[in-house]
Amino acid sequence: MTHRTLVRALLTSAVLAAGVMLAGCDSDQISLAQNAKANQPVPPKLVAAMTEKDMDMQSPILVRLFKQEAELEVWKQTRSGQFALLKTYPICRWSGDLGPKVREGDRQAPEGFYSINPSQMNPQSAYYLSFNTGYPNAFDKALGRTGSQLMVHGDCSSRGCYAMTDEQIAEIYSLGRESFFGGQKAFQLQAYPFRMTPVNMAKHRNNPNMPFWKMIKEGYDHFEVTKQEPKVDFCEKKYVFDAVKAPNATRDPVFDASAKCPAYVVPEEIASAVREKEQQDAAETAKLVSKGTPVARLNTGIDGGMNAIFASKIPEGNTGLSEGGDSQALQSMSLARAPGTIPGTVNPPRPNLAVQQDEPVVATTSSTTPAANTRVASANASDKSEGFLSSFARKVGIGGATADASKTAAPAPAAAAPAKPKVADAKPQSVVRVAPKAEPKVTAKPAPKPHAPDTAAAAPAATQLAGSAPVVQTNSFDTRFSAVK
């Protein structure tokens, strides 16, 4: 048994090594066969769960991500051929807003359907372990969307990525590794703003991202009714799911994301099941709207979210745009065990003070509010989250970390946000406590000669990103430039 385990680890390492070479990593890095992180065995509890659910260790996997719930699901194929849920992982941190990624540097974690092959697995990550989501896909490119190095990784800190704890990503990585060894060429990653339920569709009905969300909900529904990985194609700048050639066609349809859709059909057993689910969901959504289900809270510049289990473990923690952010719920979860190690450098979602100053905060919107008055999530103009490291990664030809190097020069906490202490008054219902401290008698003193700290403190909104910690230690997350994500 030990011999077989060693052989499997060596062979798997060879597969991953080939993938890393395709990604352009240096050949003088340590041998992947000796990489303890990348070759950790699947934990015994997961092995037992697979046995109980009639799954093989090396059967295919599928991953689903949900921002609002801050959860990552790993599904695995059973011996019946259908997928079943193996484990749900709370997400430690994700950044941006509900909605798809649009451009480089907008801090958005992507949404949509992506394919992960062995070359996208990074065993040499500076953030413990990681895999590249594959953003932008053909659909994103057809719309002119830009971005690079969007990852699922460890270290609990995000600049447009989905961040887990090191222990969590080790498990997820091992499951992907075993599926590749079992013959799966790529596993599917489905990223959603929230679970595509009638309740959530009703709550977010006025969001201008809704046409996009309805489109990817079709893929969500295909998976829900079949429990099979949906085949994904693109044409006419839209997603197409489970398309096959028409009955009279002699060859399979050829899809181009920017071109007209070819002739195709969806198998009737799938199409009818999806159609029935869509009709039921639409009827339930309409019923909820008619009953006055309130529109979801508008984004007030809060950067991303965090699962409540993690928010309950850190000072002034909150869940941001994820659910379960009230202090009482967090307090009740504080005694629960965290699923992994939370590094000291992790910071909870915080509001963008610059956005709040320019635009009044609306805590909630009634169901009668016109859609024209609904403010939608947009990228913060001051965010340059992927600038330095993305450029660094491209220069060396590897999957680099998407972090903001300017964070290392952040001012001291006392000077971080006293510029306009009335911001908290403008946002009485915010889920984030903003408590700027007035500078005691410092402003009454004559201004000292200009120097670097005073210059940084003079404009905190321009130098400090939403969601960033005021002080960063030299050995913290954002100073690890020596390796890829």
Side-chain angles (χ1 to χ4, degrees), residues 14 93 120 125 206 218 247 284 300 336 377 384 416 445 459 471 475:
R93 193 71 167 87
Q120 291 163 249
S125 176
N206 285 351
E218 184 178 344
E284 182 63 25
T300 59
K384 299 181 185 293
K445 296 180 181 180
V471 176
N475 63 347

Side-chain angles (χ1 to χ4, degrees), residues 204-262:
H204 295 277
R205 60 189 178 273
N206 285 351
N207 193 307
N209 287 310
M210 186 52 71
F212 169 72
W213 290 341
K214 285 182 177 179
M215 180 173 59
I216 63 174
K217 181 183 182 296
E218 184 178 344
Y220 178 94
D221 291 342
H222 275 241
F223 180 71
E224 287 290 310
V225 302
T226 67
K227 291 300 185 289
Q228 299 278 2
E229 178 183 303
K231 177 176 172 288
V232 180
D233 290 298
F234 313 96
C235 61
E236 297 179 8
K237 298 181 180 180
K238 66 180 182 180
Y239 279 85
V240 177
F241 300 99
D242 289 322
V244 297
K245 65 182 179 182
N248 298 328
T250 58
R251 61 178 183 175
D252 291 333
V254 177
F255 288 89
D256 184 322
S258 299
K260 183 179 178 180
C261 291

Side-chain angles (χ1 to χ4, degrees), residues 4-16 57-59 118 174-185:
R4 289 179 59 192
T5 302
L6 178 60
V7 170
R8 183 170 66 249
L10 292 172
L11 290 175
T12 305
S13 297
V15 173
L16 295 177
M57 172 80 77
Q58 296 168 0
S59 65
S174 70
L175 291 170
R177 179 196 68 214
E178 291 297 322
S179 75
F180 292 140
F181 185 79
Q184 187 175 22
K185 295 181 179 178

Side-chain angles (χ1 to χ4, degrees), residues 409-412 415 448-464:
K449 294 181 180 180
H451 56 84
D454 290 341
T455 302
T463 60
Q464 183 172 325

Side-chain angles (χ1 to χ4, degrees), residues 87-102:
K87 185 171 181 178
T88 300
Y89 297 85
I91 297 175
C92 191
R93 193 71 167 87
W94 61 271
S95 61
D97 197 359
L98 300 182
K101 184 174 182 63
V102 175

Side-chain angles (χ1 to χ4, degrees), residues 411-434:
K420 292 190 178 183
K422 294 294 183 182
V423 173
D425 297 335
K427 186 172 174 286
Q429 301 185 47
S430 173
V431 298
V432 180
R433 297 197 303 272
V434 181

Side-chain angles (χ1 to χ4, degrees), residues 103-107 380-388 403-406 465:
R103 61 177 175 81
E104 183 90 32
D106 63 5
R107 296 179 65 86
N380 300 328
S382 63
D383 289 343
K384 299 181 185 293
S385 60
E386 299 174 8
F388 173 78
D404 192 347
S406 65
L465 294 177

Side-chain angles (χ1 to χ4, degrees), residues 235-295:
C235 61
E236 297 179 8
K237 298 181 180 180
K238 66 180 182 180
Y239 279 85
V240 177
F241 300 99
D242 289 322
V244 297
K245 65 182 179 182
N248 298 328
T250 58
R251 61 178 183 175
D252 291 333
V254 177
F255 288 89
D256 184 322
S258 299
K260 183 179 178 180
C261 291
Y264 71 88
V265 296
V266 176
E268 181 56 30
E269 63 273 16
I270 298 177
S272 60
V274 170
R275 188 162 51 245
E276 182 179 355
K277 183 180 186 303
E278 288 177 342
Q279 291 171 351
Q280 292 175 351
D281 288 351
E284 182 63 25
T285 300
K287 185 186 298 184
L288 291 167
V289 172
S290 68
K291 289 182 177 179
T293 298
V295 175

